[in-house]
Amino acid sequence: MLKLSEPNISEDIITAVADVLRSGQLVQGEENLLFEKELAAYLGCKEVILVSSGTAALHLALLALDIGPGDAVLVPDFTFPATASVVSMVGARVVIADVDRGTYVLSPDQIERTLDQWQGPERIRALMPVHEFGCSVDMDAVLKIAEKNDLYIVEDAACALGAVYGTRKLGTFGDLGCFSFHPRKTLTTGEGGAISTGSVQLAQKIRRLRNHGMEKRHDGMHFFEPGLNYRLTNFQAAMGRLQLKCLDEWIVVRKKLVEEYRCGLAKLASRNLIHLPVRTEGHSWQTFMVVLDKGFDRAVVIDALRQNGVESNLGAQSLSVLDLYGDQPFLQTVGPELYRCGLALPLFERMQRSDVKHVCSVLESVLLS
């Protein structure tokens, strides 16, 4: 079976993890400190705080910005539910905006439309642009909108470590950037995540919040506020450090595989049986998702691919279709379509060109049968 994704865990990573386990320093050790410094240098930001998951990163970001009851946060319709769930978990209201059909991410027009038409009792205090699958939202426009409306920006870059907008890495434009190291991500520590920021004050607060609200000082531990346990282990950090050295190289490989897909699927796209994602500069291609014509039953297509040795799946969810986040004043059209018709195909850097050709051949056979 050709898997949808495979973590790239080399023998030297396994050795590094074993070394940490033998050391007995399993949490908050030297590997954590080094990984934070190296990741900050890679991203080009002042501070990085390692946490236990991408969801933890999003949750801590909102807590650090004091987002809570009476506030609202604008999020895209097409994303993993964690994006919106953390908003609900801090007591704020989720406000959903539709996404672009070709890139799958928020467009400036949709953001402005939602802000202009919002009439709820809550005040929208933050934007949460999601760089879905590693594709950048138009951050120049987002920065202008945020400044105009006095909004915080929390970048959900869970899928976008290593992706670039202009000359800067994603996750460094907003007040805070949030990353995931889940096994489906290009860099994985099993579970895990990180928060990037240019604010020393926010970084200090997040470090307290991830560690029970406490700080270690010369005379012992001091508790400053209620907090959580969202720490990354030391052996996970060892995994991340070694993978970070290879990340840009892996992204280059993924880009080449995506071009193979585009060539191999051109026939199906020309007949409008599928729709390919729009090319954008700086895309890191954590996932390659096509959109099936509405006449196909995606479940049938997924099953047929599986019978031919190819794993596939949906891409992400439509928050408005899930109906978990309260009444929404705006009708979404693109997000639900992507949710119902999106088809994620295998993509990982150890794939071969022959693997891509096989997937394209099988999909063509299934859709034309």
Side-chain angles (χ1 to χ4, degrees):
M1 176 70 73
L2 183 60
K3 295 291 187 180
L4 188 63
S5 178
E6 287 187 5
N8 201 339
I9 309 299
S10 61
E11 287 300 319
D12 60 339
I13 291 174
I14 294 172
T15 299
V17 170
D19 289 343
V20 173
L21 294 176
R22 292 189 187 99
S23 76
Q25 182 64 56
L26 303 187
V27 180
Q28 299 294 97
E30 185 69 12
E31 294 292 335
N32 288 72
L33 295 174
L34 290 173
F35 190 26
E36 287 186 339
K37 290 178 181 178
E38 291 161 1
L39 193 51
Y42 174 80
L43 292 170
C45 63
K46 284 185 180 179
E47 299 276 354
V48 164
I49 308 97
L50 296 174
V51 294
S52 56
S53 70
T55 305
L58 294 168
H59 190 195
L60 289 171
L62 295 183
L63 291 173
L65 295 173
D66 295 320
I67 303 292
D71 299 328
V73 179
L74 189 151
V75 303
D77 189 44
F78 188 65
T79 182
F80 187 69
T83 306
S85 293
V86 295
V87 177
S88 295
M89 292 301 292
V90 299
R93 182 167 179 180
V94 175
V95 178
I96 300 171
D98 214 347
V99 297
D100 179 77
R101 183 171 274 101
T103 61
Y104 317 149
V105 301
L106 279 172
S107 69
D109 288 345
Q110 288 290 351
I111 296 172
E112 292 190 305
R113 169 183 170 273
T114 303
L115 291 172
D116 290 343
Q117 296 182 12
W118 173 248
Q119 296 181 345
E122 298 87 359
R123 174 193 169 196
I124 297 180
R125 290 189 61 212
L127 301 176
M128 196 178 285
V130 178
H131 307 300
E132 194 64 45
F133 306 145
C135 179
S136 177
V137 178
D138 182 344
M139 290 308 298
D140 286 334
V142 168
L143 289 170
K144 291 177 182 177
I145 293 169
E147 182 178 10
K148 174 184 174 182
N149 293 277
D150 190 24
L151 302 172
Y152 290 119
I153 299 173
V154 177
E155 289 178 78
D156 185 339
C159 298
L161 182 61
V164 177
Y165 178 79
T167 59
R168 292 169 57 183
K169 294 285 199 306
L170 294 182
T172 65
F173 289 85
D175 297 278
L176 296 161
C178 300
F179 301 90
S180 169
F181 304 146
H182 181 271
R184 282 284 309 279
K185 305 305 187 287
T186 308
L187 185 155
T188 179
T189 59
E191 290 285 1
I195 303 171
S196 58
T197 184
S199 168
V200 175
Q201 291 74 24
L202 283 175
Q204 182 181 32
K205 185 173 183 179
I206 291 167
R207 287 195 168 93
R208 287 200 306 264
L209 288 170
R210 74 167 176 185
N211 191 25
H212 303 288
M214 65 183 181
E215 286 185 13
K216 185 177 181 179
R217 299 191 171 180
H218 70 280
D219 58 344
M221 289 294 185
H222 291 256
F223 289 83
F224 290 86
E225 57 198 311
L228 300 154
N229 181 358
Y230 279 164
R231 298 174 302 207
L232 189 75
T233 65
N234 210 30
F235 51 88
Q236 287 175 293
M239 293 177 65
R241 290 187 65 207
L242 288 173
Q243 290 178 73
L244 184 61
K245 297 176 181 179
C246 306
L247 181 59
D248 286 342
E249 177 186 338
W250 291 348
I251 291 173
V252 169
V253 173
R254 286 169 174 260
K255 289 179 178 179
K256 291 179 180 178
L257 292 171
V258 167
E259 290 307 308
E260 289 289 334
Y261 265 127
R262 299 187 76 90
C263 291
L265 297 174
K267 178 180 177 181
L268 294 176
S270 68
R271 298 177 62 171
N272 291 321
L273 298 177
I274 63 170
H275 301 280
L276 300 174
V278 170
R279 283 190 181 92
T280 58
E281 292 294 325
H283 203 310
S284 61
W285 296 108
Q286 178 264 338
T287 292
F288 181 72
M289 189 192 86
V290 301
V291 182
L292 298 171
D293 179 82
K294 294 178 183 178
F296 292 108
D297 184 331
R298 183 180 58 196
V300 172
V301 174
I302 289 174
D303 185 61
L305 289 172
R306 183 185 299 111
Q307 291 181 29
N308 285 274
V310 175
E311 183 180 30
S312 59
N313 209 332
L314 56 80
Q317 284 74 24
S318 165
L319 301 180
S320 59
V321 172
L322 295 182
D323 194 26
L324 296 174
Y325 305 107
D327 294 335
Q328 293 294 321
F330 311 118
L331 178 67
Q332 317 302 324
T333 57
V334 178
E337 178 186 341
L338 297 178
Y339 177 38
R340 296 187 177 104
C341 302
L343 180 71
L345 298 174
L347 182 65
F348 49 94
E349 55 275 1
R350 288 187 289 182
M351 283 181 69
Q352 303 298 313
R353 292 177 62 184
S354 58
D355 294 324
V356 176
K357 290 179 180 179
H358 174 64
V359 176
C360 294
S361 176
V362 172
L363 184 59
E364 182 174 319
S365 176
V366 170
L367 298 186
L368 294 178
S369 63

